[in-house]
């Protein structure tokens, strides 16, 4: 049944049935199913997984794990999708605090996310722009020389 639903995605009815099925599972079981969807061959199934996350996952640790999965891909255009999938359960303040920690450990993830991240925060949570400034300053300090030019272009393209 589960495989049939996943293979029918992105059909809206199948997506809703999958959400109803996932809601009865534990948080860890939900995470396992969604992780499996991210490994699927179809981009459409992976996109459905991102739409399903905010509908079923409530555990903040799991949401952080999914956010990290998205940021680790270093896909500039995908950042918005991963942020939107996780922010409803995390809130902008917690999401940005986590990104501040990432800026210290994996600053290149922030470099690739910056172009999409700044407009989202500016529009959805302008009261947290100060946290973005701290993230920017941390990346300025922590980033290696190989991405400095790219980082500067990103900062210039979407100034705070």
């Amino acid at each position: 049944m589960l495989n049939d639903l996943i293979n029918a995605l992105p059909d809206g009815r199948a997506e809703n049935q999958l959400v109803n099925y996932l809601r009865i599972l534990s948080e860890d079981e939900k995470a396992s199913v969604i992780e499996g969807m991210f490994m699927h061959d179809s981009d459409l199934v992976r996109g459905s997984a991102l739409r399903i996350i905010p509908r079923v996952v409530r555990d903040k640790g799991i949401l952080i794990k999914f956010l990290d999965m998205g940021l680790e891909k270093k896909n500039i255009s995908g950042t918005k999708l991963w942020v939107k999938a996780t922010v409803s359960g995390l809130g902008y303040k917690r999401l940005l605090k986590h990104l501040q920690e990432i800026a210290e450990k994996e600053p290149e993830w922030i470099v690739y996310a910056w172009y999409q991240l700044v407009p989202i925060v500016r529009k959805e949570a302008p009261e947290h722009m100060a946290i973005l400034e701290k993230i920017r300053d941390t990346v300025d300090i922590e980033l290696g020389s190989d991405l400095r030019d790219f980082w500067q272009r990103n900062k210039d393209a979407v100034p705070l």
Side-chain angles (χ1 to χ4, degrees):
M1 177 191 139
L2 180 60
N3 284 337
D4 292 337
L5 288 175
I6 290 172
N7 289 328
L9 295 173
D11 177 70
R13 180 175 289 155
E15 196 168 290
N16 288 334
Q17 289 175 341
L18 182 57
V19 165
N20 289 334
Y21 173 77
L22 291 173
R23 284 183 176 150
I24 63 173
L25 300 178
S26 71
E27 289 292 317
D28 289 336
E29 291 169 323
K30 291 175 193 177
S32 294
V33 170
I34 293 171
E35 283 177 33
M37 291 172 68
F38 286 131
M39 291 182 229
H40 199 277
D41 293 337
S42 170
D43 288 338
L44 298 173
V45 171
R46 292 191 300 267
S48 290
L50 287 170
R51 286 190 302 277
I52 287 171
I53 288 171
R55 296 175 66 187
V56 299
V57 178
R58 299 291 171 249
D59 184 276
K60 295 187 184 341
I62 293 172
L63 289 168
I64 293 285
K65 179 173 130 182
F66 284 141
L67 178 63
D68 288 351
M69 283 174 60
L71 294 173
E72 185 178 21
K73 294 178 184 297
K74 301 178 189 173
N75 178 347
I76 295 170
S77 60
T79 299
K80 184 176 185 176
L81 300 172
W82 289 92
V83 168
K84 292 290 187 180
T86 56
V87 74
S88 64
L90 292 173
Y92 276 99
K93 187 173 182 178
R94 181 173 278 126
L95 181 131
L96 291 170
K97 291 289 186 183
H98 179 68
L99 292 178
Q100 195 170 2
E101 293 172 15
I102 287 178
E104 295 171 8
K105 298 178 218 165
E106 300 287 348
E108 65 274 4
W109 292 7
I110 302 299
V111 169
Y112 288 95
W114 192 256
Y115 189 79
Q116 294 280 323
L117 185 63
V118 172
I120 293 170
V121 175
R122 185 180 296 130
K123 180 181 177 190
E124 305 284 334
E127 66 276 12
H128 297 305
M129 290 299 286
I131 300 173
L132 265 184
E133 290 176 20
K134 291 178 186 175
I135 292 170
R136 180 197 59 201
D137 295 343
T138 302
V139 172
D140 283 341
I141 294 167
E142 299 293 331
L143 188 64
S145 61
D146 52 332
L147 288 175
R148 288 233 176 250
D149 289 341
F150 180 59
W151 173 234
Q152 189 59 50
R153 287 192 307 273
N154 271 350
K155 290 191 305 184
D156 293 344
V158 285
L160 297 175

